[in-house]
Amino acid sequence: MNDIVYFVKESRENEELRYSLRSLQNFPHGKVYFYGGCPKYLCPDHHIHVKQDQENKWANVSKMLRMACKNPHISADFWLFNDDFFIMEKVTKPCNYYYGDIYKRIVTLEDKFGGITPYSNGLRQMAKELESMGCTTKNYALHVPILINKQKMIEVLNMTDCPMFRTIYANYAEIGGKEMTDVKITSVDKAYKGGTYLSTEDKAFNEGLVGKQIKEHFPDRCKYERS
């Protein structure tokens, strides 16, 4: 089975990560690797401490991504998780997902905000870069796990410094997948109403209805917890 990699911020507390790990009971996987930090009460199969001292978040992610892809002990293809990804239902055959086309997403955003935004402009630049590479322009900016091939990701990192690495990589590597809408909940009042995947923001998890639901859904300690 494919391993799982998390990039973890330096923090003493990370309850989202605790419950993300508990939810892995629903997702077939090999070993679990942390790159970055690791709260003392959590114990992945392997923790590679990385000082996150680069000039910005993307530079730190890029550094850890290269390290993971060059680690010979990690499976050739691994699932990349965020600490706020939760697997709410049993998965038997994990697959990749995308969210329509990048240009459609650009139109939706610019209609919503009445013009070009920094994010929509970044998407437009990325789409043009993909086209110059002869790639499709599917949008993989979703809050769900993505399967990374180490060799292909290194090729992408050597070709571009675009921070939207999921979408660049996925189109370059032609990973395909199924179409879906995003699953991230940001409101404290919004509830989880079913589905395999779920993601939250800090406030929604810590103070919101969805956070309460996640905690009730996974009450039992898992093997990746010390206490």
Side-chain angles (χ1 to χ4, degrees):
M1 287 187 286
N2 297 310
D3 295 329
I4 288 175
V5 173
Y6 286 88
F7 298 146
V8 182
K9 59 191 175 184
E10 292 281 4
S11 176
R12 292 183 178 180
E13 299 290 332
N14 192 330
E15 286 299 284
E16 286 173 296
L17 180 56
R18 183 199 293 272
Y19 283 89
S20 179
L21 291 168
R22 288 185 181 185
S23 80
L24 294 184
Q25 64 181 297
N26 287 330
F27 195 91
H29 63 279
K31 295 188 178 301
V32 172
Y33 288 77
F34 283 7
Y35 275 82
C38 181
K40 291 183 177 180
Y41 54 83
L42 298 180
C43 51
D45 294 302
H46 298 280
H47 172 219
I48 297 88
H49 181 262
V50 181
K51 190 173 183 180
Q52 298 174 53
D53 56 359
Q54 303 299 302
E55 62 270 21
N56 54 51
K57 179 180 179 179
W58 161 238
N60 284 317
V61 169
S62 178
K63 177 182 176 180
M64 291 186 287
L65 191 51
R66 283 183 180 275
M67 292 176 68
C69 288
K70 291 180 179 180
N71 187 336
H73 302 293
I74 295 177
S75 55
D77 298 284
F78 65 84
W79 290 102
L80 183 62
F81 270 66
N82 289 0
D83 62 4
D84 59 358
F85 289 0
F86 309 99
I87 315 301
M88 304 300 288
E89 298 175 345
K90 188 71 70 175
V91 176
T92 55
K93 294 182 179 180
C95 68
N96 290 302
Y97 293 92
Y98 66 95
Y99 187 11
D101 185 83
I102 298 169
Y103 284 109
K104 183 178 180 180
R105 180 62 174 156
I106 291 169
V107 170
T108 301
L109 286 170
E110 294 182 353
D111 284 348
K112 179 179 179 180
F113 293 103
I116 297 173
T117 69
Y119 182 61
S120 71
N121 187 52
L123 288 175
R124 194 179 300 278
Q125 292 177 8
M126 178 180 60
K128 290 180 179 178
E129 184 170 0
L130 283 168
E131 288 176 333
S132 72
M133 296 162 59
C135 298
T136 53
T137 56
K138 291 178 180 177
N139 178 18
Y140 287 86
L142 287 164
H143 293 87
V144 296
I146 185 171
L147 188 64
I148 300 294
N149 176 269
K150 295 193 294 185
Q151 180 179 342
K152 290 288 186 181
M153 180 56 81
I154 288 294
E155 291 174 14
V156 168
L157 293 173
N158 289 339
M159 292 167 60
T160 179
D161 61 356
C162 177
M164 300 177 185
F165 70 92
R166 286 175 59 109
T167 296
I168 289 279
Y169 160 78
N171 284 286
Y172 173 79
E174 299 180 329
I175 68 172
K178 298 178 181 179
E179 188 168 2
M180 70 180 298
T181 56
D182 202 14
V183 297
K184 194 172 186 74
I185 291 179
T186 60
S187 169
V188 296
D189 299 317
K190 191 172 180 180
Y192 163 69
K193 296 182 179 180
T196 302
Y197 297 97
L198 179 62
S199 179
T200 61
E201 285 191 343
D202 290 349
K203 188 170 183 180
F205 179 84
N206 293 324
E207 303 175 23
L209 176 58
V210 66
K212 181 180 178 181
Q213 289 175 301
I214 291 168
K215 293 165 189 172
E216 291 174 348
H217 203 74
F218 301 108
D220 299 324
R221 185 186 303 177
C222 70
K223 67 177 184 178
Y224 304 114
E225 297 175 78
R226 289 192 174 93
S227 61

